[in-house]
Amino acid sequence: MSQTTVKPAVAFVGSTGLLGKSMVPIFAQAANSGELSELRLLVSSTPKLWLERLISDTVKIVQVNYADQKALENALQGVDVVVSALGTNGTEVARRNLINAAVAAKIKAYVPSEYGSDMDVNPYPLPMFEEKQAHLREAKAAGLKTISLLTGFFLETIFSPPFGFISATNTWNLPDSGSNRFAVTSMADIGRYTLRAVILVFEEPEKALEKLRILGDNSTLDEYAAAFESISGEPPTKNTISRDQLKANFDADGTIVELVKLLVADGLADFTENDNELLNPGQKYFKPKTVAEYAKEVGGKPWITIHSPEIDAS
Ligand SMILES: NC(=O)c1ccc[n+]([C@@H]2O[C@H](COP(=O)([O-])OP(=O)(O)OC[C@H]3O[C@@H](n4cnc5c(N)ncnc54)[C@H](OP(=O)(O)O)[C@@H]3O)[C@@H](O)[C@H]2O)c1
């Protein structure tokens, strides 16, 4: 391990999105406590009050136009690590120019906006995933050291009715048998794991950190249902959907909503092998939120509310 007291300067893009909003306060706290030398929040929209409240001696907001390559390069001067939580829709120019600017600014590492399933084991085509993979290839080909954080599904959204695991009337649709494990991670914990990865790559650049699988919980849908029921006291109705039916649904529809259930049925969202210990040995830095803990926050009824205290606090 290299002994260094120099701390990384981080640029964060996508601060105002669903995920970014939960990650940014974690990074701001790290900058204020001296774990980072600086946090630059690159923002393309008009900064909201909650974001401006984070400004401090070490936390700055930098307004950017992602189409302006030169300005983007200037915004990244002196930055060690770029962390992206950009959305997938409409960000092609932003993502491409970010790579070019990061190369020009000679950053040390780039965390692309991945935060999902392990695309290396997913055999099913989805344009959103193909775009992410193409971006990753482009970043590597440009010479950037990339760190992909694979997080499973977001704890605060996957149990809401739009994903179809649970209906608004507490009916659970179990992919195949309901007995396959699948990983979920709370959005704030994604921020905490990403921060540890950033610090690790800066302090120990020799470590292979290209792809990190992290999680807060990795249980089965039956176990998740039991965790919510133990709080709500309301027994769920359970439907089993066969793997063949899920495949037919995905073939007909081709959306992420159908894909997540198919991945669970195939056991491809199981993160039993993961990198939690590498980033957070013995939970030294934080205790990741489990589904049982989340169940308490939502009164056992995730079908009623999409709830995240970290977002509410912002
Ligand atoms: N695993 C899961 O369950 C799961 C669930 C949802 C999302 N994700 C992943 O998490 C990542 C972040 O997704 P998200 O839903 O948080 O993103 P989002 O809310 O759609 O957008 C994130 C931010 O991107 C920035 N942006 C820059 N250029 C933009 C443009 N042209 N159009 C729109 N936004 C632009 C905006 O920030 P500024 O205004 O600050 O510039 C925006 O707030 C993605 O990789 C997504 O696939 C995973």
Short mmCIF file of all heavy atoms in Angstrom, two decimals, residues 228-267:
data_model
loop_
_atom_site.label_atom_id
_atom_site.label_comp_id
_atom_site.label_asym_id
_atom_site.label_seq_id
_atom_site.Cartn_x
_atom_site.Cartn_y
_atom_site.Cartn_z
N PHE A 228 -41.18 -7.98 4.71
CA PHE A 228 -42.21 -6.93 4.67
C PHE A 228 -43.44 -7.37 5.48
O PHE A 228 -44.02 -6.57 6.23
CB PHE A 228 -42.59 -6.59 3.23
CG PHE A 228 -41.51 -5.83 2.49
CD1 PHE A 228 -40.79 -6.42 1.46
CD2 PHE A 228 -41.21 -4.51 2.84
CE1 PHE A 228 -39.79 -5.72 0.78
CE2 PHE A 228 -40.22 -3.80 2.17
CZ PHE A 228 -39.51 -4.41 1.14
N GLU A 229 -43.81 -8.65 5.35
CA GLU A 229 -44.99 -9.14 6.06
C GLU A 229 -44.80 -9.06 7.58
O GLU A 229 -45.74 -8.75 8.33
CB GLU A 229 -45.30 -10.59 5.65
CG GLU A 229 -46.56 -11.13 6.32
CD GLU A 229 -46.80 -12.61 6.04
OE1 GLU A 229 -46.10 -13.19 5.19
OE2 GLU A 229 -47.70 -13.17 6.69
N SER A 230 -43.56 -9.32 8.04
CA SER A 230 -43.33 -9.32 9.49
C SER A 230 -43.57 -7.92 10.08
O SER A 230 -43.83 -7.78 11.27
CB SER A 230 -41.91 -9.81 9.82
OG SER A 230 -40.98 -8.80 9.54
N ILE A 231 -43.48 -6.91 9.26
CA ILE A 231 -43.74 -5.54 9.74
C ILE A 231 -45.19 -5.14 9.49
O ILE A 231 -45.86 -4.59 10.37
CB ILE A 231 -42.80 -4.53 9.04
CG1 ILE A 231 -41.32 -4.90 9.26
CG2 ILE A 231 -43.08 -3.10 9.54
CD1 ILE A 231 -40.84 -4.86 10.68
N SER A 232 -45.69 -5.43 8.29
CA SER A 232 -47.05 -4.97 7.95
C SER A 232 -48.12 -5.85 8.59
O SER A 232 -49.25 -5.40 8.82
CB SER A 232 -47.26 -4.97 6.43
OG SER A 232 -47.37 -6.30 5.95
N GLY A 233 -47.77 -7.13 8.85
CA GLY A 233 -48.76 -8.07 9.37
C GLY A 233 -49.77 -8.49 8.31
O GLY A 233 -50.75 -9.16 8.62
N GLU A 234 -49.51 -8.09 7.06
CA GLU A 234 -50.45 -8.42 5.98
C GLU A 234 -49.86 -9.52 5.10
O GLU A 234 -48.89 -9.28 4.37
CB GLU A 234 -50.73 -7.17 5.13
CG GLU A 234 -51.47 -6.10 5.92
CD GLU A 234 -51.82 -4.88 5.07
OE1 GLU A 234 -51.77 -4.97 3.82
OE2 GLU A 234 -52.12 -3.84 5.67
N PRO A 235 -50.43 -10.73 5.15
CA PRO A 235 -49.87 -11.82 4.34
C PRO A 235 -50.03 -11.52 2.85
O PRO A 235 -51.12 -11.12 2.43
CB PRO A 235 -50.71 -13.05 4.72
CG PRO A 235 -51.56 -12.62 5.87
CD PRO A 235 -51.61 -11.14 5.92
N PRO A 236 -48.96 -11.68 2.08
CA PRO A 236 -49.08 -11.41 0.65
C PRO A 236 -49.78 -12.54 -0.09
O PRO A 236 -49.77 -13.68 0.36
CB PRO A 236 -47.62 -11.32 0.19
CG PRO A 236 -46.86 -12.16 1.16
CD PRO A 236 -47.60 -12.10 2.46
N THR A 237 -50.40 -12.22 -1.20
CA THR A 237 -50.86 -13.23 -2.14
C THR A 237 -49.68 -13.50 -3.07
O THR A 237 -49.04 -12.55 -3.51
CB THR A 237 -52.05 -12.69 -2.97
OG1 THR A 237 -53.05 -12.26 -2.06
CG2 THR A 237 -52.60 -13.75 -3.90
N LYS A 238 -49.42 -14.77 -3.35
CA LYS A 238 -48.24 -15.07 -4.19
C LYS A 238 -48.64 -15.76 -5.48
O LYS A 238 -49.38 -16.75 -5.45
CB LYS A 238 -47.25 -15.94 -3.41
CG LYS A 238 -46.57 -15.20 -2.27
CD LYS A 238 -45.53 -16.08 -1.60
CE LYS A 238 -44.83 -15.35 -0.46
NZ LYS A 238 -43.88 -16.21 0.25
N ASN A 239 -48.15 -15.25 -6.58
CA ASN A 239 -48.29 -15.90 -7.89
C ASN A 239 -46.92 -16.33 -8.35
O ASN A 239 -45.97 -15.57 -8.21
CB ASN A 239 -48.77 -14.91 -8.97
CG ASN A 239 -50.19 -14.47 -8.76
OD1 ASN A 239 -51.00 -15.22 -8.25
ND2 ASN A 239 -50.47 -13.24 -9.17
N THR A 240 -46.84 -17.52 -8.90
CA THR A 240 -45.56 -17.92 -9.50
C THR A 240 -45.67 -17.74 -11.01
O THR A 240 -46.65 -18.14 -11.61
CB THR A 240 -45.27 -19.40 -9.16
OG1 THR A 240 -45.17 -19.52 -7.74
CG2 THR A 240 -43.97 -19.86 -9.79
N ILE A 241 -44.65 -17.09 -11.57
CA ILE A 241 -44.61 -16.95 -13.03
C ILE A 241 -43.46 -17.79 -13.55
O ILE A 241 -42.32 -17.65 -13.07
CB ILE A 241 -44.41 -15.48 -13.45
CG1 ILE A 241 -45.43 -14.58 -12.74
CG2 ILE A 241 -44.52 -15.33 -14.97
CD1 ILE A 241 -45.28 -13.12 -13.06
N SER A 242 -43.77 -18.69 -14.47
CA SER A 242 -42.73 -19.62 -14.92
C SER A 242 -41.63 -18.87 -15.68
O SER A 242 -41.87 -17.81 -16.26
CB SER A 242 -43.32 -20.70 -15.84
OG SER A 242 -43.67 -20.10 -17.08
N ARG A 243 -40.48 -19.46 -15.70
CA ARG A 243 -39.34 -18.88 -16.42
C ARG A 243 -39.70 -18.74 -17.91
O ARG A 243 -39.36 -17.72 -18.55
CB ARG A 243 -38.12 -19.78 -16.22
CG ARG A 243 -36.82 -19.16 -16.64
CD ARG A 243 -36.39 -19.73 -17.97
NE ARG A 243 -35.29 -18.97 -18.51
CZ ARG A 243 -35.11 -18.81 -19.82
NH1 ARG A 243 -35.96 -19.31 -20.69
NH2 ARG A 243 -34.09 -18.11 -20.25
N ASP A 244 -40.41 -19.75 -18.48
CA ASP A 244 -40.78 -19.67 -19.90
C ASP A 244 -41.70 -18.49 -20.16
O ASP A 244 -41.58 -17.80 -21.18
CB ASP A 244 -41.47 -20.97 -20.34
CG ASP A 244 -40.48 -22.12 -20.45
OD1 ASP A 244 -39.27 -21.84 -20.38
OD2 ASP A 244 -40.92 -23.27 -20.57
N GLN A 245 -42.63 -18.26 -19.23
CA GLN A 245 -43.55 -17.13 -19.39
C GLN A 245 -42.78 -15.80 -19.32
O GLN A 245 -43.02 -14.88 -20.10
CB GLN A 245 -44.63 -17.17 -18.29
CG GLN A 245 -45.67 -16.06 -18.40
CD GLN A 245 -46.46 -16.14 -19.70
OE1 GLN A 245 -47.02 -17.18 -20.02
NE2 GLN A 245 -46.46 -15.05 -20.47
N LEU A 246 -41.84 -15.74 -18.40
CA LEU A 246 -41.05 -14.50 -18.26
C LEU A 246 -40.22 -14.25 -19.52
O LEU A 246 -40.09 -13.10 -19.97
CB LEU A 246 -40.13 -14.59 -17.03
CG LEU A 246 -40.86 -14.57 -15.69
CD1 LEU A 246 -39.93 -14.98 -14.57
CD2 LEU A 246 -41.44 -13.19 -15.42
N LYS A 247 -39.69 -15.31 -20.09
CA LYS A 247 -38.90 -15.17 -21.33
C LYS A 247 -39.82 -14.68 -22.45
O LYS A 247 -39.44 -13.79 -23.22
CB LYS A 247 -38.24 -16.52 -21.67
CG LYS A 247 -37.47 -16.53 -22.99
CD LYS A 247 -36.18 -15.73 -22.89
CE LYS A 247 -35.24 -15.93 -24.06
NZ LYS A 247 -35.74 -15.56 -25.36
N ALA A 248 -41.03 -15.28 -22.52
CA ALA A 248 -41.98 -14.86 -23.56
C ALA A 248 -42.36 -13.39 -23.36
O ALA A 248 -42.46 -12.62 -24.33
CB ALA A 248 -43.22 -15.75 -23.53
N ASN A 249 -42.56 -12.98 -22.11
CA ASN A 249 -42.90 -11.58 -21.82
C ASN A 249 -41.77 -10.65 -22.28
O ASN A 249 -42.01 -9.60 -22.88
CB ASN A 249 -43.13 -11.36 -20.32
CG ASN A 249 -44.37 -12.05 -19.81
OD1 ASN A 249 -45.17 -12.56 -20.60
ND2 ASN A 249 -44.54 -12.10 -18.50
N PHE A 250 -40.54 -11.06 -21.98
CA PHE A 250 -39.40 -10.21 -22.37
C PHE A 250 -39.28 -10.15 -23.89
O PHE A 250 -39.04 -9.08 -24.46
CB PHE A 250 -38.09 -10.70 -21.75
CG PHE A 250 -36.90 -9.91 -22.20
CD1 PHE A 250 -36.73 -8.59 -21.79
CD2 PHE A 250 -35.96 -10.45 -23.08
CE1 PHE A 250 -35.65 -7.82 -22.23
CE2 PHE A 250 -34.88 -9.69 -23.53
CZ PHE A 250 -34.73 -8.37 -23.10
N ASP A 251 -39.45 -11.30 -24.55
CA ASP A 251 -39.35 -11.32 -26.02
C ASP A 251 -40.41 -10.41 -26.65
O ASP A 251 -40.16 -9.76 -27.66
CB ASP A 251 -39.50 -12.74 -26.56
CG ASP A 251 -38.28 -13.60 -26.25
OD1 ASP A 251 -37.22 -13.02 -25.93
OD2 ASP A 251 -38.38 -14.84 -26.30
N ALA A 252 -41.60 -10.38 -26.02
CA ALA A 252 -42.69 -9.58 -26.58
C ALA A 252 -42.52 -8.10 -26.30
O ALA A 252 -42.93 -7.25 -27.09
CB ALA A 252 -44.02 -10.07 -26.00
N ASP A 253 -41.90 -7.79 -25.17
CA ASP A 253 -41.94 -6.42 -24.65
C ASP A 253 -40.56 -5.75 -24.69
O ASP A 253 -40.43 -4.57 -25.00
CB ASP A 253 -42.52 -6.55 -23.23
CG ASP A 253 -42.40 -5.34 -22.37
OD1 ASP A 253 -41.29 -4.85 -22.23
OD2 ASP A 253 -43.41 -4.87 -21.82
N GLY A 254 -39.52 -6.53 -24.38
CA GLY A 254 -38.14 -6.05 -24.47
C GLY A 254 -37.78 -4.91 -23.54
O GLY A 254 -36.89 -4.11 -23.84
N THR A 255 -38.47 -4.81 -22.39
CA THR A 255 -38.17 -3.70 -21.48
C THR A 255 -37.39 -4.17 -20.26
O THR A 255 -37.37 -5.37 -19.92
CB THR A 255 -39.46 -3.03 -20.96
OG1 THR A 255 -40.17 -4.01 -20.18
CG2 THR A 255 -40.33 -2.52 -22.10
N ILE A 256 -36.81 -3.20 -19.57
CA ILE A 256 -36.07 -3.47 -18.33
C ILE A 256 -36.98 -4.11 -17.28
O ILE A 256 -36.56 -4.97 -16.52
CB ILE A 256 -35.42 -2.17 -17.79
CG1 ILE A 256 -34.56 -2.43 -16.54
CG2 ILE A 256 -36.43 -1.09 -17.47
CD1 ILE A 256 -33.19 -2.83 -16.82
N VAL A 257 -38.26 -3.72 -17.29
CA VAL A 257 -39.21 -4.24 -16.29
C VAL A 257 -39.36 -5.76 -16.43
O VAL A 257 -39.41 -6.49 -15.44
CB VAL A 257 -40.57 -3.52 -16.42
CG1 VAL A 257 -41.64 -4.20 -15.59
CG2 VAL A 257 -40.43 -2.06 -16.02
N GLU A 258 -39.42 -6.24 -17.66
CA GLU A 258 -39.50 -7.69 -17.88
C GLU A 258 -38.14 -8.35 -17.67
O GLU A 258 -38.05 -9.46 -17.17
CB GLU A 258 -40.03 -8.00 -19.29
CG GLU A 258 -41.47 -7.55 -19.51
CD GLU A 258 -42.44 -8.11 -18.47
OE1 GLU A 258 -42.20 -9.22 -17.95
OE2 GLU A 258 -43.44 -7.43 -18.16
N LEU A 259 -37.09 -7.63 -18.06
CA LEU A 259 -35.75 -8.22 -17.96
C LEU A 259 -35.37 -8.52 -16.51
O LEU A 259 -34.79 -9.57 -16.23
CB LEU A 259 -34.71 -7.30 -18.61
CG LEU A 259 -33.28 -7.85 -18.57
CD1 LEU A 259 -33.19 -9.17 -19.32
CD2 LEU A 259 -32.29 -6.85 -19.14
N VAL A 260 -35.69 -7.61 -15.59
CA VAL A 260 -35.25 -7.84 -14.21
C VAL A 260 -35.83 -9.15 -13.67
O VAL A 260 -35.13 -9.90 -12.97
CB VAL A 260 -35.58 -6.65 -13.26
CG1 VAL A 260 -34.77 -5.42 -13.61
CG2 VAL A 260 -37.06 -6.34 -13.19
N LYS A 261 -37.07 -9.44 -14.01
CA LYS A 261 -37.69 -10.67 -13.50
C LYS A 261 -37.06 -11.91 -14.15
O LYS A 261 -36.85 -12.93 -13.50
CB LYS A 261 -39.20 -10.63 -13.74
CG LYS A 261 -39.87 -9.56 -12.87
CD LYS A 261 -41.37 -9.66 -12.88
CE LYS A 261 -42.02 -8.99 -14.05
NZ LYS A 261 -42.07 -7.53 -14.01
N LEU A 262 -36.73 -11.78 -15.42
CA LEU A 262 -36.08 -12.89 -16.13
C LEU A 262 -34.68 -13.16 -15.55
O LEU A 262 -34.28 -14.32 -15.35
CB LEU A 262 -36.01 -12.56 -17.62
CG LEU A 262 -35.44 -13.62 -18.55
CD1 LEU A 262 -36.18 -14.96 -18.43
CD2 LEU A 262 -35.49 -13.13 -20.01
N LEU A 263 -33.96 -12.09 -15.25
CA LEU A 263 -32.62 -12.26 -14.66
C LEU A 263 -32.71 -12.97 -13.31
O LEU A 263 -31.89 -13.82 -12.99
CB LEU A 263 -31.93 -10.90 -14.49
CG LEU A 263 -31.48 -10.19 -15.78
CD1 LEU A 263 -30.91 -8.80 -15.46
CD2 LEU A 263 -30.45 -11.01 -16.54
N VAL A 264 -33.73 -12.61 -12.53
CA VAL A 264 -33.91 -13.27 -11.23
C VAL A 264 -34.24 -14.75 -11.44
O VAL A 264 -33.66 -15.63 -10.80
CB VAL A 264 -35.02 -12.56 -10.41
CG1 VAL A 264 -35.35 -13.37 -9.15
CG2 VAL A 264 -34.58 -11.15 -10.02
N ALA A 265 -35.15 -15.03 -12.38
CA ALA A 265 -35.54 -16.43 -12.64
C ALA A 265 -34.33 -17.26 -13.07
O ALA A 265 -34.22 -18.44 -12.74
CB ALA A 265 -36.62 -16.48 -13.72
N ASP A 266 -33.43 -16.64 -13.82
CA ASP A 266 -32.24 -17.35 -14.31
C ASP A 266 -31.12 -17.40 -13.27
O ASP A 266 -30.05 -17.97 -13.54
CB ASP A 266 -31.70 -16.67 -15.57
CG ASP A 266 -32.51 -17.00 -16.81
OD1 ASP A 266 -33.36 -17.92 -16.74
OD2 ASP A 266 -32.30 -16.34 -17.85
N GLY A 267 -31.32 -16.77 -12.14
CA GLY A 267 -30.28 -16.74 -11.10
C GLY A 267 -29.12 -15.81 -11.45
O GLY A 267 -28.06 -15.86 -10.84
#
